[in-house]
Amino acid sequence: MKVDSATLTQIIDKCFDLSMNLQLQLPDRQNFLALGKRLRGSLLNLISAQFNAGTPQVINANNQIATVSGQVAAVAQNLQNIAQTAQSLATLASTLDGLLTIAASFV
Amino acid sequence: MNWAAKGSISITLPVLLSVSLAGCVTANFTEPVTSFRDSVNKSGAVVSTYYTELNQFEREVYLDDALYSAKQIGTTDAGGQPTPLAGKALSPESIKARTDAIALLGAFAQRLGELAGSEAPKQFSEGASALGENLFSLNKTFEKLGQDSATQKAVDKTAKDYAGPIGAIVGALGKMYLENRRDAALQEAINNGAPPVRAVLSLLQQDLATSIEPLQETGLKQELAERVNAYNTSLTAQPLPSFDQRRAALNDVGAAAARYDAAITANPADLIQNMRQAFEALLTYANSSRAPTDLAQLVTALQTFKNNVDEVATQVNRLLLLRKGQKT
């Protein structure tokens, strides 16, 4: 099984878009840029990673990706819950970093 | 002219008509196969570029981030993982596996092109013309046996008239036979190749859509976002950057936006999808009755494929130039 790279890509894309959205304050924009870059680093490391079927950490990570995707989309939509979403993004990045050590193979 | 000769004319006309029609259909099959081969080869070169350039691209994104964030760089990060500076975003074995798969598609298309363009029928036709000349000579020999001179002259005259057509009919029939054999061989080759070709195309399309395209688009958007943020942040500094400094920074932002636009336009996964559709159209035609409407559908699919390949190739070349800082 693999990490949900398609949804993760959408999250990264929205982070960069928010970093260029003048409706946000500059510090928030800088924060979304930093988070987008960090998640992209995770994407690069995980995009070719294969995991054993049913690996709980990957299932958990993919669930987190789905949740955070909704949060980021909501921020892009109504510019609310910015701080909470940023925290969720940081937590996701940490979760993804932890997956590298348990990958079965890289193709 | 004797009645035997007249009878021969009435028999040969339908044969000639059916021969010429069969020849037209088979010749039309050759051109689509050649077009498919050429578009597959061009696609292969474009798609291979994405894989062979990936590690260099990631290195550029990494160094770009270090420049704008004033970060330290290394081949191993703080977590012990190799960085893109090490150039191992995709291993050499992974790249080779993918470029080998692309080369396999090209080899299959190449073989189809060689089979479709076989010269054997043409050579047979030329040999058959010589056979026609020999038939005339043989006929002349017969006429020397027990014929009076007046009849001999009449038969000689008509025999000469028929040598050419006889040779052409023999040649055309032989050509039709060989072209039908070639046609059947093409149909068999396309049908046999269908399962593995579909499998390779599916793998490539998925790989490009889930790995290559996301990395390229997010990488180029990151570079754009870096520059936008750097410019906006600089406007908070005291003193404000000079007019020339701001212009240089904004030119840089514009260039990054152009690179991102080029990446969005050049969609390699869609290119593989077009290749798949062109192959399925070829497969459908190979197994069809080869009616003009069947051929028209195939030609449309192949033209769409060719147009898409040309467009993507142009955008990929443009993107490579933009990444080198060259104007397009």
Side-chain angles (χ1 to χ4, degrees), chain B residues 159-183:
Chain B
K160 281 180 193 173
D161 290 342
Y162 278 95
I166 287 171
I169 290 166
V170 171
L173 285 170
K175 185 170 182 284
M176 180 180 74
Y177 171 71
L178 282 178
E179 283 183 345
N180 281 341
R181 286 182 61 190
R182 184 180 67 185
D183 218 25

Side-chain angles (χ1 to χ4, degrees), chain B residues 119-162:
Chain B
E119 287 290 298
K122 180 168 176 278
Q123 289 161 358
F124 188 96
S125 178
E126 285 168 351
S129 296
L131 178 59
E133 294 296 320
N134 290 336
L135 283 174
F136 166 67
S137 299
L138 183 63
N139 197 59
K140 207 172 177 197
T141 303
F142 264 105
E143 296 314 316
K144 288 177 183 174
L145 300 173
Q147 298 276 349
D148 60 61
S149 61
T151 310
Q152 187 177 356
K153 281 181 187 173
V155 171
D156 275 353
K157 182 176 179 300
T158 56
K160 281 180 193 173
D161 290 342
Y162 278 95

